[in-house]
Amino acid sequence: MATAAATSASEPEAESTAGPKADGEEDEVKAARTRRKVLSRAVAAATYKTMGPGWDQQEEGVSESDGDEYAMASSAESSPGEYEWEYDEEEEKNQLEIERLEEQLSINVYDYNCHVDLIRLLRLEGELTKVRMARQKMSEIFPLTEELWLEWLHDEISMAQDGLDREHVYDLFEKAVKDYICPNIWLEYGQYSVGGIGQKGGLEKVRSVFERALSSVGLHMTKGLALWEAYREFESAIVEAARLEKVHSLFRRQLAIPLYDMEATFAEYEEWSEDPVPESVIQNYNKALQQLEKYKPYEEALLQAEAPRLSEYQAYIDFEMKIGDPARIQLIFERALVENCLVPDLWIRYSQYLDRQLKVKDLVLSVHNRAVRNCPWTVALWSRYLLAMERHGVDHQVISDSSKELEELRAAFTRALEYLKQEVEERFNESGDPSCVIMQNWARIEARLCNNMQKARELWDSIMTRGNAKYANMWLEYYNLERAHGDTQHCRKALHRAVQCTSDYPEHVCEVLLTMERTEGSLEDWDIAVQKTETRLARVNEQRMKAAEKEAALVQQEEEKAEQRKRARAEKKALKKKKKTRGPEKRGADEDDEKEWGDDEEEQPSKRRRVENSIPAAGETQNVEVAAGLAGKCATVDVEPPSKQKEKAASLKRDMPKVLHDSSKDSITVFVSNLPYSMQEPDVKLRPLFEACGEVVQIRPIFSNRGDFRGYCYVEFKEEKSALQALEMDRKSVEGRPMFVSPCVDKSKNPDFKVFRYSTSLEKHKLFISGLPFSCTKEELEEICKAHGTVKDLRLVTNRAGKPKGLAYVEYENESQASQAVMKMDGMTIKENVIKVAISNPPQRKVPEKPETRKAAGGPMLLPQTYGARGKGRTQLSLLPRALQRPSAAAPQAENGPAAAPAVAAPAATEAPKMSNADFAKLFLRK
């Protein structure tokens, strides 16, 4: 095609030269321009034919559209007009742009976009030789994308005529497949090699290319199928009986790999094969189908996402790393790098995997080379490349590349510093190397390898003038360099400067100076060093004292402000309390019927609600009165005046049979609490639950004075083992609330008894998880935890109402599994919540002081103040009238418990007995 185009292009040239000489050089220039245009059109037409289906059956010559182009070119040459002038302007514009791009590349050869634009314009203008040179230069500096390689290959294929040209195209294909793993390039390579089957060794060449393609991208789930089919079609076209076994082998190999559209391949194999499909092939096919289902979610995620799809590829890589197939891991890394070739972290992860796992020299070095070509600005990639070459024993000449290593190294250091100054410091107003690591390394090389301490000292002077003179570690680094490669005089000079300039750790620098003078200096040097260090440290201490005083003043100001805020809050709270106490007095005067003090047995409504909502501990009330006859039922009555309601409540309480708690049966009794207050007939509903543990003698629910269930009860069994078995029902859900089941113990006799059944100390095999979403279930959390070990027990922490608190305890089989789970689960996201995981180590609970610890030194023991069932009141004022403050011979029994004996027996007066609210009400009513 190129020959035909060249022939067609030569005809107008002949015509133009045969014309009159009056046209002169202008006609020759126009003819040359027209020839380039025609040639570019011919190349474009050939490329289109090459890319289309059946390119290997292309015909000689050009198409009708190409003929139109030739006609236009001829007419443009013979009869200049408007089209020619437009064309000349466009071409002149392109030529100017080409010159500009070439000049730009002469200044900066690493401008990627300039290379691409230059190749595009040269190809448009038909400058084939220049296009080839431009592509060659770009490929030496940068790896080319799949589109650039295919465009280059199609142009070269369209111009290849003889065997030498075919070998040149083969070389281009070999370079193309090394940059990135691209299935389309391998497919083009295989199809092009088929065209040379008639040459010597052509058949072996085709099979070699296809086998390499299958080993490279044959596992590609979406694009690998085309390579398998092309290889099978080639083998099927060879009419040889021996080749049938080759096709069988290709079918079997393909069906053992998870690829899209496997079902159609299997059906095609069944139709093509004359014999039944072997059982082993069917088993491998079914296994591949199962693997395909595992890979489908990741492939579908890639298909749905938009390029570059880095996060999707990262998830796919993590999945392949868990499976551990090296070929598939290498393929998914290569697929990810095609779209994310400028991500250094991805190259680092890929090269790290090859360095640690595969350790194949050619493969490792190839990937490292490609990494630095794609991301030449990343220092970590270069250092890893150098380490890999040293690890695999690469020749030093390959690493150094020059005999003028020292001059090039100094020039490289200089360029690096200039780049940091121009591109980082001036543009971003930040230091690109704040610790001057580059200059430190340069100084070490000058001192150690070049024995040039003068240059090293100049570099360190520059380092100190960049704001590093106040740091002790920088001076000590310089001092160590002088100790190793310099002399004592310069060491002394460096330390004296360090003493004067260091502000972070001057004591350390002073100590180093004194140590050096003590071992190597004279008495005069020692005296000078002592004087300088003492003066410097005195000044430093003075500065620190001033700073501490200033900080203390600031802290004092903050404390004063905090105290003022605290007083303001207290005054505000007192004012609110005062207003609140005035409100009930006014309401009490208006609503005399509802809040009357005349009823002995009736409690105030607000206080009654507080008592009913509270849940006492097991065995806390020794003489508990229960209403056995009501069994949790409240009589439904019509709304009546308050006075009649009170009379009925009082009569109801008098009619209730009183049952005393028998503490001798505590061993066969359990205390059940945190039951719903709305539970109807508690004994009837609870009996079936506890009868599963053994024979139940009695269930005693506790009711209030008004007959309302108070949420707890006593369950008495016939045998002690039944009671012990019932304790295992603790935290069982009853009507949506966790039921608490604990032993029945009198706390007045056993004050140290604890109902909490879980350990409060360090448990290395148990984890504490916080931050869980409230919607997380036990099964979901257990499924997550099972991935890190054997879960023996898992408990979600809930409140008294059974609602989750976002906390959990997970018990593993051993400490190692728990440690692994902490490292892998801490910081994990569950349902958009970031959880925290740690070894279970609850904080120590505050233990109440014993009476012995409160005994004053040299004085009598002070008894603690006792409070009623409602706890400590809001005020400590004594509300007992003076008329009642008279001695009493016997300690009376109060409603909330026995009164405490006085600490010291006084002959004049004794402590008044405690009284209930009802007693206070009688006193007020007597007046």
Side-chain angles (χ1 to χ4, degrees), residues 327-345:
R328 299 198 66 90
I329 293 174
Q330 183 183 354
L331 176 63
I332 191 59
F333 267 117
E334 294 289 351
R335 290 176 61 185
L337 288 169
V338 171
E339 298 182 16
N340 301 275
C341 58
L342 302 181
V343 180
D345 292 340

Side-chain angles (χ1 to χ4, degrees), residues 458-472:
E458 292 176 1
L459 291 170
W460 268 104
D461 286 339
S462 179
I463 291 172
M464 293 305 180
T465 56
R466 297 192 177 193
N468 294 302
K470 59 184 177 180
Y471 300 118

Side-chain angles (χ1 to χ4, degrees), residues 828-869:
M828 179 186 291
T829 301
I830 299 179
K831 296 183 179 180
E832 300 182 357
N833 284 34
V834 180
I835 65 172
K836 294 182 179 179
V837 184
I839 298 296
S840 177
N841 188 16
Q844 295 294 328
R845 296 194 174 192
K846 294 183 179 180
V847 181
E849 294 186 44
K850 296 185 179 180
E852 293 80 1
T853 62
R854 289 192 293 266
K855 184 182 293 184
M861 183 181 70
L862 301 177
L863 291 179
Q865 186 175 359
T866 57
Y867 305 104

Side-chain angles (χ1 to χ4, degrees), residues 799-818:
N799 58 16
R800 302 183 71 88
K803 304 297 182 182
K805 298 173 70 175
L807 308 175
Y809 288 91
V810 182
E811 182 180 354
Y812 279 95
E813 193 171 29
N814 51 50
E815 298 177 10
S816 62
Q817 293 180 359

Side-chain angles (χ1 to χ4, degrees), residues 368-599:
H368 279 290
N369 183 36
R370 291 163 54 206
V372 296
R373 290 187 68 200
N374 281 274
C375 305
W377 61 86
T378 307
V379 178
L381 291 175
W382 285 103
S383 62
R384 288 174 176 272
Y385 189 16
L386 292 172
L387 290 175
M389 286 193 289
E390 184 177 357
R391 190 178 297 114
H392 292 283
V394 178
D395 186 17
H396 178 71
Q397 295 298 326
V398 178
I399 300 176
S400 62
D401 283 333
S402 175
S403 60
K404 300 179 180 180
E405 296 92 349
L406 184 58
E407 289 77 6
E408 290 189 357
L409 182 60
R410 285 173 175 167
F413 276 123
T414 304
R415 289 198 306 271
L417 295 176
E418 291 177 355
Y419 176 82
L420 290 176
K421 182 178 180 181
Q422 296 176 2
E423 300 296 329
V424 180
E425 296 178 9
E426 295 180 1
R427 292 179 60 183
F428 302 101
N429 294 324
E430 292 184 2
S431 176
D433 188 11
S435 300
C436 298
V437 176
I438 295 177
M439 297 183 70
Q440 289 187 45
N441 290 330
W442 189 0
R444 290 192 195 99
I445 293 173
E446 293 287 353
R448 181 181 175 183
L449 301 179
C450 305
N451 296 321
N452 191 352
M453 279 302 298
Q454 183 62 30
K455 181 64 177 178
R457 291 182 185 119
E458 292 176 1
L459 291 170
W460 268 104
D461 286 339
S462 179
I463 291 172
M464 293 305 180
T465 56
R466 297 192 177 193
N468 294 302
K470 59 184 177 180
Y471 300 118
N473 64 326
M474 300 298 287
W475 283 107
L476 294 178
E477 187 72 25
Y478 178 32
Y479 166 74
N480 291 331
L481 185 68
E482 287 285 358
R483 290 283 292 179
H485 307 287
D487 51 42
T488 306
Q489 187 63 28
H490 283 90
C491 289
R492 182 177 291 109
K493 183 179 178 180
L495 289 178
H496 278 284
R497 291 174 61 191
V499 169
Q500 297 299 325
C501 300
T502 303
S503 60
D504 55 351
Y505 297 105
E507 295 89 351
H508 190 23
V509 176
C510 293
E511 182 181 354
V512 174
L513 174 59
L514 294 176
T515 302
M516 190 195 76
E517 298 296 359
R518 185 182 297 112
T519 56
E520 299 184 14
S522 62
L523 180 59
E524 183 181 358
D525 295 333
W526 167 261
D527 291 338
I528 294 174
V530 170
Q531 183 180 359
K532 282 195 173 184
T533 54
E534 289 179 351
T535 304
R536 175 59 178 165
L537 292 179
R539 187 161 61 250
V540 169
N541 290 332
E542 183 180 355
Q543 293 174 354
R544 289 176 179 174
M545 288 181 63
K546 289 181 180 180
E549 291 175 359
K550 185 177 180 180
E551 185 177 357
L554 293 175
V555 171
Q556 186 176 1
Q557 291 178 4
E558 292 294 330
E559 290 179 353
E560 291 176 355
K561 291 180 181 179
E563 188 65 25
Q564 291 176 1
R565 291 194 295 267
K566 186 177 180 181
R567 284 198 299 268
R569 286 196 299 267
E571 292 175 358
K572 188 176 181 181
K573 187 176 180 181
L575 184 60
K576 284 185 179 181
K577 185 176 180 181
K578 187 175 181 181
K579 291 180 180 179
K580 190 175 181 181
T581 53
R582 289 179 180 178
E585 291 178 2
K586 294 181 180 179
R587 289 196 302 270
D590 297 336
E591 303 173 0
D592 201 20
D593 293 336
E594 294 182 4
K595 304 222 173 170
E596 187 178 4
W597 287 90
D599 195 329

